[in-house]
Amino acid sequence: MNHLTRRKLLVTFAAAGAASLGGPLWRQSVFAAMDAGHKTAPVPAPPTAPTGQLTNRLRLPGASGLYAAVAAKDVKQITVSEMNFDVLPKLSSPFWAYVAEVGGKRLLNPTLLARPGDQIKLRMVNRLKQPTIIHWHGLTNDDRNDGTGMYLSEPGKSFDYSFTVRDRAAMYWYHPHPPYLTGEQTYHGLAGLLIVEDDDERKLVHALDLTLGVTDIPLVIQDRSFNFEGKLEYKLSREQMFMGFLGEEILVNLTTRPYFDAAQRIYRFRILNGSNARSYRLAFAQGARLLDHYLIGTDGGLLEQPLKVRETFIGAAQRIDVLLDLRAASANEPVFLKSLAFDPMHNESVDEKTGKPAVGAAQGGADHAAHAAAGALADGVEMLLLRINIKPSPEYKGKIPSQLSQLPKLAVAAGEPRRLTLGQDRKGNWNINGWRFNMHETPVRVQRGARETWLLQNNRASMPHPMHIHGFQFRVLERRDSPAQVTALATRQKGLLPQDFGLLDTVLVWPGESVRIALDFSHPFPGDQTYMFHCHNLEHEDTGMMIGYKVKA
Amino acid sequence: MLFAAIGAGSAFAHHESGAQHSGQAQAPAGSQKTGKGTGLIQQIDREKGAVTIKHGPLQGINMPGMTMSFLVKDKAMLSKLQPLQKVDFELTYDGRNYMITKIK
């Protein structure tokens, strides 16, 4: 079979919805079977996303157990534990969790609630067999409390956190951040939410009569794979590390194939893409109709005004806060939260100058197909995430407020931006300006109190990178050379997406795209502080697409 | 890459023919073998009487672990099964077809 024919075949095969069968594990299985005496290899079934069989009740924050909500200042200890947990119904799997004991109750990955000004003092005890540290994702902290990975807790040891909540109301999250191990540890279960409330937030909750876990619903979207016994599995080849993990099942709040019973009223969904690597194109659909809804917040909290949207791209680690008015939906059929099909833009093999396929190279999704794990759902396929059943309910008169909050004034630095190019060395290593992670180096240095513009330029021969900065939130000023599927969702203002109007700590940068962001390096912490800037595709992070940067006092 | 292309080729051909039941292998008929295994249900096609299982090594059939679609002897066997349920199953292989005879 010549090169061209093979490529064509793979492309067609990927388009047929079976994009991930070519992976090394699958090859191993098939050829082992042939060796075992089968004259024709048994052909594995193509992976497909669930098509409506969403029959497990969505897990939600309750009084105890998984995601239980608790005041952060009441949590004195978090024990990072290995345990068994029924991720799949009635099937126990090894699982790692943040465990807190509060008021005689045992909480797993508790939803921590705080207000600006709260003092959080807690001890993290590491019961894993490897070093770990908690990163408070999105919060403004000094480098010791940030959990950059420069301070680690070895197995059996502990680490004491002590910090003040300084940020706006928003849904932040906490997860592991040890060098080279973040993907594995997060995958095995370590991730929780930290919700900060303030007066603007209370006004909204009051106006819409929202209750956390009832009508204000956090949704943590993650993809996972299970072995044949229903146990979580994280085994990646080097090629899969280069792409990032893609699982076989999409879980919402650690629920496989979930549903949720809703009333005919306004619901708030605070959505975290907690996946290691996968992006989603989120939309609410009823039948073939996509439902209008309102984006009200992003990583760093409420927007100034609600923005009507129909769909949103969300990269790993990003959050969106949306309102969906189910009074506008028909009560006769379920609404689905789904990820619409999109081009995952695995363009690693294109020619950098022309953006066209390099001679002799497989391209795009097919190239990725050849590296994805056996059975994984291909990146960018349409999939159902959550079924929302609409139940008869009393009349509800809530109205979405026209004004939500005030954002800090946007102050843009004068002069040339600092350029940071996202690329690869064609040997399987992602990098930032050619730099790869070294704990002892800080190739970027900024002055405390300085304003800077950073220009994040993703190469054409690349894939989407969700870029996360520790220590500071930022604003997006402009997007250029965005792919058509992104431009289609953009506003008329400098190519900005609706979520670019909020405060962010993570921004998804597509191949060939340039994103200008504004940073203000003011903070109250004395002395030099070292933070991380990295891709939040956790396999990219773990294989070196991360740099330290120093804020000089 | 070559292996991937060959593998993809055979699966693709199968897909094109509309016969996704990979139990319908093309080998000549021979003596019937029986086997058993454990796995996790991925998909159920009640109309066609097929179930896709991510299974471990199959004893008796000498097949390594993989995800495969199998026909079942009687469609009624599927009535109580759910996706992502762990099952123990027995099957036969006559050199052409795999057929699940027991599943719970």
Side-chain angles (χ1 to χ4, degrees), chain A residues 109 143 247 288 314 322:
Chain A
N109 295 345
D143 58 11
I314 184 169
V322 299

Side-chain angles (χ1 to χ4, degrees), chain A residues 135-141 146 148 177 299 317 319 418 420 432 444 446 452 454 456 466-475 504-507 517-521 531-536 546-551:
Chain A
H135 168 49
W136 306 94
H137 186 119
L139 290 189
T140 302
N141 261 323
D146 176 272
T148 55
H177 211 278
D299 300 348
R319 285 88 71 206
R418 187 188 292 272
L420 293 151
I432 300 169
V444 171
V446 302
E452 291 204 6
W454 286 14
L456 312 181
M467 299 307 297
H468 170 54
I469 189 164
H470 290 223
F472 300 89
Q473 296 174 358
F474 59 84
R475 300 285 297 275
L504 301 179
D505 56 57
T506 307
V507 63
I517 63 173
L519 289 142
D520 181 346
F521 290 104
Y531 299 103
M532 296 293 149
F533 171 64
H534 63 89
C535 180
H536 219 286
M546 172 158 72
I547 56 170
Y549 76 95
K550 185 166 282 185
V551 181

Side-chain angles (χ1 to χ4, degrees), chain A residues 440-514:
Chain A
H440 306 292
E441 292 177 0
T442 50
V444 171
R445 291 172 180 222
V446 302
Q447 189 62 46
R448 178 183 170 192
R451 289 176 184 146
E452 291 204 6
T453 303
W454 286 14
L455 181 62
L456 312 181
Q457 292 180 299
N458 197 353
N459 281 342
R460 284 169 160 171
S462 190
M463 60 180 281
H465 294 292
M467 299 307 297
H468 170 54
I469 189 164
H470 290 223
F472 300 89
Q473 296 174 358
F474 59 84
R475 300 285 297 275
V476 180
L477 299 172
E478 184 179 29
R479 284 180 188 266
R480 281 195 182 175
D481 303 320
S482 305
Q485 63 188 2
V486 174
T487 308
L489 305 183
T491 63
R492 290 181 183 174
Q493 193 177 327
K494 297 184 175 176
L496 297 178
L497 295 169
Q499 64 261 51
D500 294 334
F501 289 85
L503 277 168
L504 301 179
D505 56 57
T506 307
V507 63
L508 185 59
V509 189
W510 294 82
E513 190 179 36
S514 295

